[in-house]
Amino acid sequence: MEVECIPFKETGYFSKLICDYLDQDENLKPFYNRFPKLENFEAQLKEKEKNFPLQNRAILVNALKNQYTEVTATECTIENIDLLGNANTFTVVTGHQLNLFTGPLYFLYKIVSTINLTVQLKERYPEREFVPVYWMATEDHDFDEINYFNFQGQKVQWNRDASGAVGTLDTEGLEAIMDSFSSRLGSTKRAEAIKALFQKAYLEHSSLTAATRYLANELFGAYGLVIVDGDDKRLKELLVPYAKRDIFKNEAYTTVEKSIKSLSEINPGYKIQVNPREINYFYHKEGIRERLVNKNDGFEVVNTQIRFSASELESELEEFPERFSPNVIARPLYQEVILPNLCYIGGGGELAYWLELKDYFEAFGVTFPMLLLRNSALVITEKQKNKIDNLGLNVADLFLKQTSLINKKIREISNIDIDFSPQKKLLEEQFQHMYELAEQTDKSFVGAVKAQEVKQKQGLDALEKRLLKAQKKKLRDHVVRMTDIQNVLFPNQSLQERQLNFSELYLEIGDELVEVLIQSLDPLSENFSVLTV
């Protein structure tokens, strides 16, 4: 196994906000608690320890044991669930939607990052215990985001009517998906193992939540992963005081709006990921999950006939907390209320919206977790690596936009120097003399001189492009082979991890896939990893 590292900001695939966060830009420090370095966890541990009620641990452990009644937990996972009842045990969390058959490959990288960080924390703080947690987004209701995965360049899609929280969906119709997927897998030993995993997860479990729990447990149970479903009445009871402040006082809306404004003032180019609503909760009951809004001196559930007065809604919340589902703003708070958590691990988009939330957490008296960008990886085979080397490419070259890659390499391998930068510089020097002459004689000629300079530079650009085009044609075979390997490793000109499903890597690597990732990825490296397998 060969591992090559590329700084995240040099890949071109991460936002300005995330790159500035990784650089620990001074302007961003008010928006996070502590930067995720091992030595910074000491203070985070002490803060969370003081701010996490012991009684919440007992509720959490009981809820988890009940959630695991339908799956065979490993001894390591059972031990970790029990450890959560102890005051010296803390979690590292990642979250993900219930994508069909895990969805994109980065699902694995999120959980591997989480597991590996708990191992490093245990080595650094041996007197403490650390538990990796996967939070299933069972209450999301956007079925179209999770009803497919890509395999060998094609969608494997589950088409059906769906409403309400996706976790409650039954698995009806997945037999047809199984048949279609199986026909494309082949009949190798590894293919048969994938078929069996899909069948046991989706055809032998009655809901999407149960299927996803089984699948994640099969892949990561050996490493003690604990899987949490927040759609649980006992856990939701802990959220009630915070939900009241959001629903009746709009405190989340006020604080997050201020944070978004402050972020925008730092850099108008920062993309705001999510905007708060006055009420950040859905009403979740019997196949519906719709927004709760304040309207007509009371409260309504949009797209329904459900109405509440303020007192009726408060009674509903206290009696049926499971019917109140946090949105993307409130869900992080819910997670930190019920878990003794130190760090949240997510992708760039997730961390961007977490950076909006620190003041909101402080206003609600909840410790804000450390934020860690998950591992990202490009997995290449030895055969592909040999092709890259034979083409005279560095792996980092493949992260370039395709046009830039082609132009860069054509200039490098061409026997003609197709770079008119020296000519452009000489032209600028010549026109500088003409500007001085115009200033001394008739200033009205400055504009004419400028127009002539622009025209001649455009002429050089056009000539450079024509020569490059001619060289591309001449070196067409090299260009085709370069673009072919880039298209394979960056499908749809996107990161591999966002397109491929883990099953494609499993066909290549086999049962060792997860262990290879565990051994190869360092969650604190702050680099994009390129793995040659």
Side-chain angles (χ1 to χ4, degrees):
M1 168 66 65
E2 179 184 335
V3 182
E4 184 176 341
C5 294
I6 301 170
F8 281 115
K9 64 182 178 181
E10 292 182 13
T11 67
Y13 281 93
F14 294 84
S15 70
K16 170 68 173 168
L17 175 59
I18 294 304
C19 290
D20 286 351
Y21 174 67
L22 294 175
D23 285 341
Q24 301 179 61
D25 187 301
E26 285 292 328
N27 291 320
L28 287 178
K29 289 188 175 179
F31 298 91
Y32 61 92
N33 202 358
R34 298 173 181 89
F35 195 77
K37 293 182 178 295
L38 278 179
E39 60 269 23
N40 291 343
F41 277 90
E42 178 68 36
Q44 190 75 19
L45 279 159
K46 291 178 179 177
E47 182 180 348
K48 189 66 179 184
E49 188 173 40
K50 290 179 182 177
N51 201 22
F52 192 76
L54 190 60
Q55 61 267 28
N56 287 19
R57 290 180 177 274
I59 294 169
L60 174 63
V61 170
N62 289 333
L64 286 171
K65 286 182 176 180
N66 187 67
Q67 290 181 16
Y68 266 84
T69 55
E70 295 183 6
V71 68
T72 304
T74 63
E75 288 185 14
C76 190
T77 293
I78 292 170
E79 180 182 350
N80 277 346
I81 291 173
D82 287 334
L83 283 172
L84 287 169
N86 300 335
N88 71 333
T89 300
F90 298 86
T91 63
V92 174
V93 180
T94 193
H96 198 68
Q97 295 170 296
L98 307 191
N99 294 73
L100 186 61
F101 211 42
T102 76
L105 186 56
Y106 68 80
F107 170 84
L108 270 67
Y109 301 158
K110 277 185 166 184
I111 296 179
V112 166
S113 301
T114 304
I115 292 167
N116 281 346
L117 181 56
T118 61
V119 172
Q120 292 189 20
L121 287 170
K122 181 61 178 175
E123 291 173 353
R124 181 65 179 255
Y125 306 101
E127 73 283 1
R128 310 277 194 167
E129 301 294 342
F130 303 94
V131 174
V133 170
Y134 160 46
W135 182 289
M136 293 191 295
T138 57
E139 295 180 73
D140 282 4
H141 60 253
D142 197 337
F143 181 66
D144 291 339
E145 286 188 0
I146 61 100
N147 69 339
Y148 70 94
F149 62 94
N150 296 316
F151 180 73
Q152 296 179 345
Q154 295 183 338
K155 267 189 177 183
V156 179
Q157 187 162 329
W158 181 22
N159 295 312
R160 58 164 292 171
D161 292 331
S163 63
V166 295
T168 61
L169 290 174
D170 61 48
T171 52
E172 182 181 352
L174 283 170
E175 296 88 347
I177 302 298
M178 174 72 188
D179 292 341
S180 173
F181 183 39
S182 295
S183 67
R184 291 158 59 185
L185 277 167
S187 56
T188 65
K189 183 178 178 181
R190 290 173 181 174
E192 293 301 322
I194 293 172
K195 293 176 191 177
L197 183 61
F198 188 98
Q199 177 168 336
K200 288 176 182 177
Y202 293 99
L203 305 189
E204 298 179 18
H205 290 86
S206 59
S207 71
L208 193 54
T209 291
T212 305
R213 182 185 288 111
Y214 173 86
L215 184 56
N217 185 63
E218 285 295 302
L219 292 171
F220 297 105
Y223 301 93
L225 182 71
V226 172
I227 303 161
V228 175
D229 176 8
D231 192 6
D232 186 302
K233 181 174 182 176
R234 288 154 298 186
L235 298 178
K236 288 278 182 74
E237 286 171 349
L238 298 176
L239 185 62
V240 170
Y242 305 93
K244 284 183 179 180
R245 291 174 62 178
D246 186 307
I247 294 169
F248 298 109
K249 296 182 179 180
N250 306 138
E251 289 184 59
Y253 174 77
T254 304
T255 54
V256 177
E257 276 287 291
K258 287 180 181 177
S259 295
I260 289 173
K261 183 181 178 182
S262 298
L263 274 170
S264 298
E265 287 171 352
I266 291 171
N267 189 324
Y270 287 162
K271 183 180 178 183
I272 301 305
Q273 288 297 117
V274 295
N275 287 291
R277 296 187 180 275
E278 290 185 356
I279 296 175
N280 294 284
Y281 285 82
F282 294 90
Y283 191 71
H284 169 36
K285 177 184 176 183
E286 297 170 359
I288 65 167
R289 185 179 185 253
E290 297 286 355
R291 285 194 301 115
L292 185 65
V293 296
N294 193 328
K295 192 173 182 181
N296 298 328
D297 296 323
F299 297 86
E300 299 181 3
V301 179
V302 300
N303 300 320
T304 75
Q305 299 299 312
I306 302 173
R307 306 283 187 273
F308 298 99
S309 67
S311 60
E312 287 171 340
L313 185 61
E314 187 170 10
S315 296
E316 183 84 356
L317 179 55
E318 290 173 349
E319 188 174 356
F320 303 105
E322 71 277 14
R323 295 179 182 174
F324 293 80
S325 177
N327 73 359
V328 68
I329 293 290
R331 191 212 65 79
L333 185 83
Y334 177 34
Q335 169 189 297
E336 299 303 312
V337 165
I338 68 171
L339 294 174
N341 191 44
L342 302 174
C343 179
Y344 182 76
I345 296 179
E350 290 177 282
L351 263 55
Y353 74 72
W354 273 87
L355 288 169
E356 302 172 16
L357 305 180
K358 181 170 178 280
D359 286 349
Y360 161 45
F361 273 65
E362 288 182 353
F364 278 63
V366 178
T367 298
F368 194 63
M370 297 165 82
L371 304 176
L372 178 62
L373 184 65
R374 65 167 173 82
N375 283 120
S376 283
L378 171 66
V379 181
I380 60 179
T381 64
E382 288 282 359
K383 186 177 180 181
Q384 289 168 334
K385 184 65 165 60
N386 289 336
K387 285 183 180 180
I388 293 167
D389 292 342
N390 290 338
L391 287 166
L393 294 169
N394 296 315
V395 172
D397 292 334
L398 296 172
F399 286 82
L400 294 169
K401 299 300 181 187
Q402 196 157 92
T403 301
S404 300
L405 170 65
I406 293 170
N407 290 344
K408 179 177 186 288
K409 297 312 293 183
I410 289 299
R411 284 190 172 99
E412 288 180 6
I413 65 178
S414 175
N415 54 6
I416 303 172
D417 185 11
I418 310 177
D419 182 0
F420 286 3
S421 297
Q423 287 82 359
K424 292 173 186 175
K425 185 177 180 181
L426 180 61
L427 189 66
E428 289 171 357
E429 291 172 354
Q430 292 172 337
F431 269 93
Q432 184 59 39
H433 176 69
M434 295 177 70
Y435 282 124
E436 293 171 358
L437 188 62
E439 288 281 350
Q440 294 169 6
T441 55
D442 188 341
K443 292 184 178 181
S444 66
F445 281 100
V446 172
V449 173
K450 179 66 176 176
Q452 190 63 31
E453 181 186 14
V454 170
K455 182 178 179 181
Q456 293 199 30
K457 281 184 175 179
Q458 288 175 340
L460 282 174
D461 286 340
L463 183 57
E464 186 178 33
K465 288 176 182 177
R466 288 183 64 184
L467 286 171
L468 270 172
K469 186 175 180 181
Q471 279 299 93
K472 288 176 190 177
K473 188 174 181 180
K474 185 176 179 180
L475 301 169
R476 187 173 184 278
D477 178 62
H478 198 95
V479 170
V480 168
R481 287 188 292 140
M482 278 196 311
T483 55
D484 281 350
I485 191 66
Q486 189 187 47
N487 289 339
V488 168
L489 295 176
F490 291 79
N492 299 320
Q493 295 294 290
S494 178
L495 290 177
Q496 179 194 69
E497 63 185 32
R498 293 191 168 275
Q499 299 293 319
L500 266 63
N501 179 259
F502 85 94
S503 55
E504 290 192 53
L505 290 191
Y506 186 92
L507 290 175
E508 196 71 43
I509 300 172
D511 289 337
E512 298 80 21
L513 171 60
V514 171
E515 183 60 23
V516 164
L517 297 177
I518 292 283
Q519 295 299 323
S520 304
L521 299 178
D522 177 2
L524 299 175
S525 73
E526 299 181 34
N527 288 297
F528 194 107
S529 300
V530 180
L531 314 180
T532 303
V533 298

